Amino acid sequence: MFYSLARPLLFALDPEAAHALALGALKLIERGGIAAMLADAGPAQQVKLMGLDFPNALGLAAGLDKNGEYIDALAAMGFGFVEVGTVTPRPQPGNPKPRMFRLPEAGALINRLGFNNQGVEQLIANLARTRYRGILGINIGKNFDTPIARAADDYEFCLAKVYAHASYVALNVSSPNTRDLRQLQGADELGALAGKLKTEQLRLADAYGRYVPLVLKIAPDLDDAALAAIAKCLLKHRLDGVIATNTTVSRSGVSGLRHAGEGGGLSGAPLCKLSTEVIRKLAQLLEGRIPIIGVGGVMSAADARAKLDAGASLVQIYTGFIYRGPQLIGEILRALSAPGP
C-alpha cells in the first residue's frame, strides 16, 4: 500500500535520483521498526546451500546497494540474503549520466552504470557499521581502466579484502557496461581467472579458518557452446555456485519503446524467460553438482517458482523490487512456503 502511493512520485524523478531517495526512505523506515511490515512475508522455508543456512530462498541481487550503505534496511524486509556491490578495488564514477532508463510499458530497466562505486575500502568501512548478521554476498569486479589481461589481479585483490566480511563472494564477469568485461566468460580467460581465484580462496580459508564460497555471475546472452564451456570450467575449478543471469544486451520485447535504443543492460520482465532458459540449460549441464542462483526478470511469485522449477535453488530480485516494491517480497515468500498441490 505504502509503495503503491509512493511509486508515482518516485517514477516522476530521474531513475538514479529516485533510487537514492527510495533507499534513504527505507533506512528511515527501518529505524522506525516497521520495515518488516511493508513486505508482510510471514513464515519461510529455510534452504541449506554451499554450507550456508539461508532463512529463505529469496535474495536481493547486487546493484541496488553497491556500497553496502542500506543493508540493515533491506534485510529487515524479509530477504533471506542480501548481495551488495559490484565493488572494485578503487573508487570509480561509472559511465556518464544519464545512464539508467525506465521502460514502464514493459516492466523493464536499461542501465549502463558501469560499476559506479566508492571502492572496496569504503565498502568494508560501511560493513563495519551494519548490524546485519545474516547471509551477505559481496559482488566484485574490475576497475574500468584495468586491462583485461590484468583483470584477475583486481578480482584477487577484492577477494582478499572482502573475504572476512562475506558469506559468499560473487565474481561479476558478465556486466555489459564495462568494456570487454564479458571476454572473461571465454573458456581460456575464465579458466585462468577461476584457477587463480580458487587458489586464493583456499589460501584465505586456511588463513581465516573459514571457507567462503565463490560463485560466478554469468550473462544471459551465451550460446549453448559457451554455456557448456562455462559449466565445464565451474566443475573443473570447483567453484561453489553460479548466478544466472545478469542483464541482457538483447532488446527483444521492448523494440519500439521509448529508451529501447539506449545502450546498456536490459533487466525486468523481458529478461525473465531468457534467464530461466539459461538456468534450465545450466542445470542439465551441471547435473546438480553446483547450485544455481536464479535472477533476471522476477516480477511475481510465478516467475520465482519458474526459476526454481528450472533448476535454481535460490532466487534474487532487483527490477521487480523497483517496480512492485516490498509487497513482492511477501508475495514470493508466501508462495514458496505454501504446501504443494
Side-chain angles (χ1 to χ4, degrees), residues 53-218:
D53 293 315
F54 292 81
N56 62 64
L58 179 64
L60 178 69
L64 196 74
D65 187 5
K66 291 178 179 291
N67 300 301
E69 300 172 283
Y70 304 97
I71 296 172
D72 292 331
L74 292 164
M77 288 186 293
F79 287 109
F81 61 110
V82 173
E83 189 173 318
V84 298
T86 298
V87 66
T88 55
R90 291 172 280 112
Q92 60 182 37
N95 293 320
K97 297 180 180 180
R99 54 194 183 180
M100 183 180 284
F101 308 90
R102 300 186 193 95
L103 291 76
E105 306 94 328
L109 294 174
I110 292 174
N111 93 80
R112 53 172 179 262
L113 293 168
F115 288 173
N116 56 310
N117 74 105
Q118 297 169 3
V120 70
E121 297 289 357
Q122 185 59 54
L123 171 68
I124 291 170
N126 292 341
L127 294 180
R129 292 190 287 269
T130 186
R131 301 184 305 277
Y132 179 62
R133 295 296 178 266
I135 304 295
L136 177 68
I138 302 181
N139 188 298
I140 63 175
K142 82 171 193 71
N143 280 111
F144 78 100
D145 55 355
T146 300
I148 285 294
R150 291 174 42 212
D153 295 340
D154 277 14
Y155 287 92
E156 185 179 41
F157 180 86
C158 284
L159 176 59
K161 286 288 185 179
V162 306
Y163 191 91
H165 309 276
S167 303
Y168 69 86
V169 176
L171 313 175
N172 188 346
V173 297
S174 52
S175 169
N177 302 318
T178 295
R179 183 179 176 183
D180 298 331
L181 185 76
R182 287 188 169 188
Q183 288 184 20
L184 295 175
Q185 296 177 119
D188 293 340
E189 294 89 346
L190 185 58
L193 177 67
K196 183 171 186 175
L197 296 181
K198 189 67 184 184
T199 297
E200 178 67 358
Q201 176 198 33
L202 296 176
R203 184 192 71 80
L204 291 165
D206 185 61
Y208 285 97
R210 183 172 74 95
Y211 184 86
V212 175
L214 271 183
V215 305
L216 182 73
K217 187 166 187 175
I218 66 170

Side-chain angles (χ1 to χ4, degrees), residues 23 36-37 86 114 133 158 170 231 234 237 255 275 285 302 316 339:
L23 287 175
M37 295 172 59
T86 298
R133 295 296 178 266
C158 284
L234 289 167
H237 294 284
S255 179
S275 172
L285 290 164
Q316 293 177 315

Side-chain angles (χ1 to χ4, degrees), residues 246-259:
N246 214 316
T247 57
T248 179
V249 295
S250 168
R251 293 297 182 264
S252 177
V254 300
S255 179
L257 297 181
R258 184 168 181 254
H259 299 310

Side-chain angles (χ1 to χ4, degrees), residues 34-42 76-79 325-331 333-334:
I34 60 172
M37 295 172 59
L38 296 180
D40 188 26
M77 288 186 293
F79 287 109
Q327 73 178 49
L328 179 59
I329 303 169
E331 176 186 313
L333 291 179
R334 287 192 299 273

